[in-house]
Amino acid sequence: MRVLGIETSCDETSAAVLGGEGEVLSNVVLSQDEIHAPYGGVVPELASRRHIETIDTVVREALDRARAGLDQIDLLAVTQGPGLIGSLLVGLSFAKGLAYYFKKPLIGVDHLQAHIEAALLENPGLPFPALALVVSGGHTSLFFLEKPLSYEVIGRTRDDAAGEALDKIAKFLGLGYPGGPVIEKRASGGKVKAFPFSAPRMSDRSLDYSFSGLKTAALKTIRDNKISKGSRRMADFLASFEQAVVGAVLDNLGRAVSERPAQSLILCGGVARNKRLRAEFEKLARAERLAFAFPSPKLCTDNAAMTASLGLKKFRALGPGPFVPDLGLNAYPRVSAPAE
Ligand code: KG4
Ligand code: ZN
């Protein structure tokens, strides 16, 4: 059994081949960072144009590294949404073309569920029920998984995502794109309590997130304290802001633990690469005496191995029987697929 995964939801063109036991035979990720960096954020049209130029090479490379021909692929898995519509359509159309030509089953995969899968791929024995926090550039969502493949969204951001807030502040300060890793690097050695930020809270006590207030407070702090690229207090400011984002992200998870009967906690998505967030998440899980998992850094950001792995699980869950590839599969830009 060989699964080919394709992921083009945002600004990474990725293809991966997995074996039948979920082993990653190849996972090729082509970043578009240098294309979007001058703009300080992803430019959707440029992202889709780049995907269409590179998708064939990336898929070919993934097959070559796995020493597999297209005729040896038994299943195709592709990201269906959420993401940038133009980007999603490139991967989806490419996967459909292959499924049609090679008469192979095709499974559509939700991108946020795939991020959760990245943690399970490396920690297959994690106990359920689980609470999973997806923190990325486009999403900040909290899921409750009663059992494998059952996803209930219990909180999501009402405005910016956590990664987006980091990216926007980095852009404002002229630090480069993507902002998360730059902020992490420049914050090192800074004092986290140098600049106070109050924790965002929903007035209705829901588990939803909001980062726009934190972003506005950060912009005001930058102006009031005249913080700029060469400024002496830059590390202190960035450490304080990074800590505020980490605190906001984990605050809701802490509350969710008391509301849901979870046995384990999952942290995933691009922002889960952040060392401060990983350390504080681990501290929370240990304090709650819960099992926990986060993907290794390269599986936190967008990649097709997680897409292929979830596609394989979904395919197996369908049970035996003739499988007709759903060539009517369409992309969805915003909302997650309904719970299955
Ligand atoms: O999951 P991802 O690759 O794409 C989306 O699905 O959005 O996440 C990208 C996000 C960006 O906002 C980037 O700034 C953030 O992940 N990120 C980080 C770090 N590495 C990437 N944020 C904080 N610390 C990092 N080390
Ligand atoms: Zn993502």
Side-chain angles (χ1 to χ4, degrees):
M1 178 89 183
R2 295 252 187 292
V3 190
L4 173 64
I6 294 179
E7 146 64 32
T8 61
S9 66
C10 190
D11 63 338
E12 260 97 27
T13 317
S14 182
V17 178
L18 264 59
E21 302 300 313
E23 66 278 28
V24 181
L25 304 177
S26 67
N27 187 20
V28 177
V29 181
L30 184 64
S31 163
Q32 300 182 355
D33 281 355
E34 82 281 8
I35 292 173
H36 304 288
Y39 305 94
V42 179
V43 182
E45 183 178 336
L46 297 183
S48 10
R49 288 181 183 279
R50 188 70 180 148
H51 284 308
I52 211 153
E53 285 166 359
T54 58
I55 183 93
D56 56 335
T57 314
V58 170
V59 168
R60 166 61 43 215
E61 180 68 19
L63 291 164
D64 287 351
R65 287 192 198 176
R67 295 180 197 287
L70 267 173
D71 50 337
Q72 291 166 290
I73 297 297
D74 307 291
L75 172 68
L76 288 143
V78 64
T79 310
Q80 220 184 327
L84 302 173
I85 194 72
S87 292
L88 289 164
L89 289 173
V90 174
L92 202 59
S93 306
F94 197 84
K96 274 190 186 187
L98 294 178
Y100 177 74
Y101 184 80
F102 290 96
K103 298 188 176 52
K104 297 294 174 192
L106 171 68
I107 295 269
V109 167
D110 181 90
H111 183 59
L112 301 190
Q113 296 174 6
H115 270 300
I116 298 172
E117 182 61 25
L120 298 172
L121 178 60
E122 294 181 314
N123 300 275
L126 206 70
F128 283 80
L131 279 164
L133 184 52
V134 184
V135 214
S136 73
H139 314 276
T140 302
S141 300
L142 193 50
F143 288 81
F144 179 66
L145 286 78
E146 222 230 285
K147 54 185 184 348
L149 301 182
S150 119
Y151 306 87
E152 182 191 349
V153 181
I154 59 171
R156 57 161 49 120
T157 186
R158 293 187 184 178
D159 40 60
D160 290 348
E164 193 178 355
L166 293 165
D167 292 342
K168 284 181 177 167
I169 293 302
K171 179 181 179 183
F172 187 77
L173 289 167
L175 299 178
Y177 173 82
V182 189
I183 289 183
E184 170 160 50
K185 198 158 160 225
R186 291 207 173 217
S188 110
K191 295 192 193 74
V192 293
K193 290 193 177 140
F195 295 96
F197 287 103
S198 46
R201 272 275 167 92
M202 288 296 134
S203 49
D204 57 6
R205 298 282 303 158
S206 86
L207 291 169
D208 280 350
Y209 286 93
S210 167
F211 289 95
S212 69
L214 208 52
K215 190 185 64 191
T216 308
L219 292 174
K220 186 171 183 310
T221 305
I222 292 170
R223 289 203 184 97
D224 292 353
N225 295 276
K226 301 191 174 46
I227 291 165
S228 62
K229 222 169 170 180
S231 166
R232 210 169 29 89
R233 306 197 68 196
M234 178 66 103
D236 284 349
F237 166 74
L238 292 178
S240 305
F241 180 59
E242 187 189 36
Q243 179 62 45
V245 171
V246 167
V249 163
L250 293 181
D251 188 39
N252 278 12
L253 181 62
R255 287 201 291 126
V257 167
S258 57
E259 292 178 16
R260 296 291 176 132
Q263 288 197 35
S264 65
L265 302 182
I266 295 169
L267 175 71
C268 56
V271 184
R273 288 178 87 123
N274 184 275
K275 291 190 197 73
R276 202 186 295 276
L277 178 58
R278 290 166 93 91
E280 301 239 339
F281 167 80
E282 185 169 340
K283 216 176 350 167
L284 171 73
R286 289 192 191 281
E288 298 288 345
R289 296 177 188 281
L290 295 171
F292 64 93
F294 37 66
S296 53
K298 68 175 191 315
L299 287 184
C300 285
T301 30
D302 292 346
N303 68 88
M306 62 190 195
T307 313
S309 179
L310 184 54
L312 178 61
K313 283 188 185 169
K314 285 179 71 172
F315 182 66
R316 294 240 159 97
L318 291 173
F323 185 83
V324 184
D326 182 8
L327 293 177
L329 214 61
N330 213 332
Y332 51 89
R334 264 169 233 102
V335 286
S336 280
E340 286 157 48

